[in-house]
Amino acid sequence: MIPYLMRLGYDGMQKGILLSSIAISTIFLQFLFGYLSDKTHRIKAFFIGLYSLYLGLNVILFQWQMDSFIYYLVFVCLVGGCYRTTQGLLDTWLLQSDRTLFSKARAFGALGWAIGSWLVAFLLQKIGFSLIVLVLLVVGGISFILSFFLKDSKREKSMIHFRDLKEILRNHQYLLFVFIVFLLYALGTADMYIVVDKLLSVGGSEFHVGMKWGMQSLMELPILLVGDKLLKKFAIWKLMMFASLMFLARFLVYAWVQSPMWFLFASIFQLITFPLVVICSKEKFEQLSEEKWKSTGQMFAMSIYMGFSLFLMPLVCSGLVSWMGYDGALIAVSSLAIFAMILLWIYHKKYEC
């Protein structure tokens, strides 16, 4: 998306506005479909409907270009929101079907992301952005068809009412953990924007961006494959603390390196950071959510930590870069990991001791 918007001629602030708009649809759609899932005890139908909309919107966005900022604002907003909501529905679907398989299933997602990123990086160099539509229709179409053969999630019969959502907002333990995950997701979002911008500014290309995402996805595989064993052996707060420390080191390294290839080598930090945050946060929100709002508990948390990080970080990153340059901005953003570690210690002392 970022190289595509740059190819269209949008500057840093315009990109920040366009990409931040994703947060609006993400927050609304994830909350809405989480609530509807709990209300109807169904996920499969919502996933299929929203995923088909996602594919259709992508075809329009990449196939028909217009000289209109509003046009891209609407479609970037909807495409990003639909993508993240279908991702959330799929994660919740799996968690409610078999929690023990979640980590291993996400490993296949990481492998798919790695293969897809490398493939698209190679094809972009040879063909250009017109191939995006073809890749989406082929791969997305296969996923769409396969989803029909999956069984819906297994849920105990319990009815949620809108007034029950007050229970979520009054659960201070739940809300504190949401905020901790938000800080770490904000770092992951900064990796999508400020790090990619610096990579391109030091001589990188769309090829390097694709290779970076591919390398990072491949690095996730080892932890995801043994995620269920790690959760049994170590406390969640300890795993999250370690991931936060690695996020701090990761962004300091990003501030130091000045070569596209070194950015690819720095992808090794993904081995520890993102997969630990994913498996720990999903497990913790599953523990903290009551049966009647299991889906809402997962999706509401995602709407906050994912939606607000998507809204704030493109604007924050573009502002920091304008003020102190790429390296200074990366060092400033790395402080979020320190705040996360402090809050994790407070969480542990208050709720788990």
Side-chain angles (χ1 to χ4, degrees), residues 141-199:
I142 294 172
S143 301
F144 181 76
I145 293 171
L146 289 176
S147 66
F148 280 92
F149 295 94
L150 296 176
K151 293 181 180 179
D152 213 336
S153 62
K154 296 180 291 187
R155 295 289 302 278
E156 293 182 12
K157 292 297 181 180
S158 57
M159 183 57 68
I160 186 175
H161 301 284
F162 201 77
R163 62 179 179 271
D164 294 325
L165 300 179
K166 293 180 182 178
E167 295 181 30
I168 301 177
L169 300 177
R170 291 172 179 168
N171 190 327
H172 295 163
Q173 182 180 359
Y174 172 89
L175 294 177
L176 177 56
F177 203 82
V178 168
F179 186 66
I180 293 170
V181 178
F182 159 74
L183 292 175
L184 298 176
Y185 258 79
L187 286 164
T189 306
D191 190 17
M192 295 167 58
Y193 299 134
I194 189 172
V195 177
V196 170
D197 282 346
K198 180 181 176 181
L199 171 59

Side-chain angles (χ1 to χ4, degrees), residues 5-193:
L5 293 176
M6 292 181 69
R7 185 71 63 88
L8 293 171
Y10 290 109
D11 59 28
M13 184 55 70
Q14 289 173 319
K15 283 188 299 173
I17 295 171
L18 289 170
L19 296 170
S20 292
S21 70
I22 294 173
I24 299 172
S25 56
T26 298
I27 293 170
F28 174 75
L29 290 174
Q30 287 186 337
F31 177 78
L32 174 65
F33 281 96
Y35 176 75
L36 290 175
S37 173
D38 282 329
K39 191 77 173 176
T40 62
H41 302 98
R42 302 174 68 187
I43 293 181
K44 180 176 179 178
F46 294 124
F47 172 83
I48 291 174
L50 199 60
Y51 191 58
S52 60
L53 176 62
Y54 164 72
L55 292 176
L57 290 170
N58 267 288
V59 171
I60 297 173
L61 177 63
F62 286 100
Q63 188 67 31
W64 288 284
Q65 298 179 7
M66 293 181 64
D67 186 20
S68 170
F69 183 81
I70 299 299
Y71 170 81
Y72 289 103
L73 185 67
V74 171
F75 276 91
V76 169
C77 171
L78 292 175
V79 165
C82 288
Y83 166 68
R84 282 161 178 81
T85 305
T86 53
Q87 178 188 352
L89 285 171
L90 195 59
D91 284 349
T92 306
W93 188 356
L94 179 58
L95 281 166
Q96 294 177 6
S97 299
D98 192 338
R99 286 166 63 180
T100 62
L101 292 177
F102 175 76
S103 183
K104 290 184 175 63
R106 282 300 296 254
F108 281 93
L111 180 61
W113 192 303
I115 294 172
S117 297
W118 287 337
L119 177 64
V120 172
F122 174 77
L123 294 177
L124 276 176
Q125 280 196 321
K126 301 297 182 181
I127 303 173
F129 281 98
S130 59
L131 74 93
I132 294 291
V133 173
L134 179 61
V135 172
L136 279 167
L137 289 178
V138 173
V139 180
I142 294 172
S143 301
F144 181 76
I145 293 171
L146 289 176
S147 66
F148 280 92
F149 295 94
L150 296 176
K151 293 181 180 179
D152 213 336
S153 62
K154 296 180 291 187
R155 295 289 302 278
E156 293 182 12
K157 292 297 181 180
S158 57
M159 183 57 68
I160 186 175
H161 301 284
F162 201 77
R163 62 179 179 271
D164 294 325
L165 300 179
K166 293 180 182 178
E167 295 181 30
I168 301 177
L169 300 177
R170 291 172 179 168
N171 190 327
H172 295 163
Q173 182 180 359
Y174 172 89
L175 294 177
L176 177 56
F177 203 82
V178 168
F179 186 66
I180 293 170
V181 178
F182 159 74
L183 292 175
L184 298 176
Y185 258 79
L187 286 164
T189 306
D191 190 17
M192 295 167 58
Y193 299 134

Side-chain angles (χ1 to χ4, degrees), residues 132-285:
I132 294 291
V133 173
L134 179 61
V135 172
L136 279 167
L137 289 178
V138 173
V139 180
I142 294 172
S143 301
F144 181 76
I145 293 171
L146 289 176
S147 66
F148 280 92
F149 295 94
L150 296 176
K151 293 181 180 179
D152 213 336
S153 62
K154 296 180 291 187
R155 295 289 302 278
E156 293 182 12
K157 292 297 181 180
S158 57
M159 183 57 68
I160 186 175
H161 301 284
F162 201 77
R163 62 179 179 271
D164 294 325
L165 300 179
K166 293 180 182 178
E167 295 181 30
I168 301 177
L169 300 177
R170 291 172 179 168
N171 190 327
H172 295 163
Q173 182 180 359
Y174 172 89
L175 294 177
L176 177 56
F177 203 82
V178 168
F179 186 66
I180 293 170
V181 178
F182 159 74
L183 292 175
L184 298 176
Y185 258 79
L187 286 164
T189 306
D191 190 17
M192 295 167 58
Y193 299 134
I194 189 172
V195 177
V196 170
D197 282 346
K198 180 181 176 181
L199 171 59
L200 295 172
S201 74
V202 297
S205 64
E206 290 94 342
F207 173 78
H208 292 100
V209 174
M211 288 295 292
K212 174 184 179 297
W213 290 122
M215 286 289 292
Q216 289 185 186
S217 299
L218 203 60
M219 289 295 102
E220 294 179 8
L221 286 173
I223 294 295
L224 290 174
L225 287 172
V226 298
D228 55 331
K229 294 181 176 62
L230 289 175
L231 289 173
K232 293 177 182 178
K233 190 171 183 179
F234 301 101
I236 287 177
W237 78 274
K238 290 183 179 180
L239 293 172
M240 294 278 283
M241 187 74 79
F242 185 50
S244 301
L245 181 62
M246 291 299 100
F247 259 123
L248 175 62
R250 176 178 182 168
F251 273 77
L252 293 177
V253 169
Y254 281 147
W256 174 65
V257 299
Q258 302 296 327
S259 165
M261 289 307 299
W262 278 107
F263 276 91
L264 300 184
F265 292 138
S267 299
I268 193 171
F269 281 102
Q270 191 78 358
L271 176 70
I272 302 299
T273 52
F274 190 69
L276 281 181
V277 174
V278 169
I279 60 177
C280 289
S281 62
K282 294 294 184 182
E283 178 63 24
K284 178 58 71 174
F285 291 130

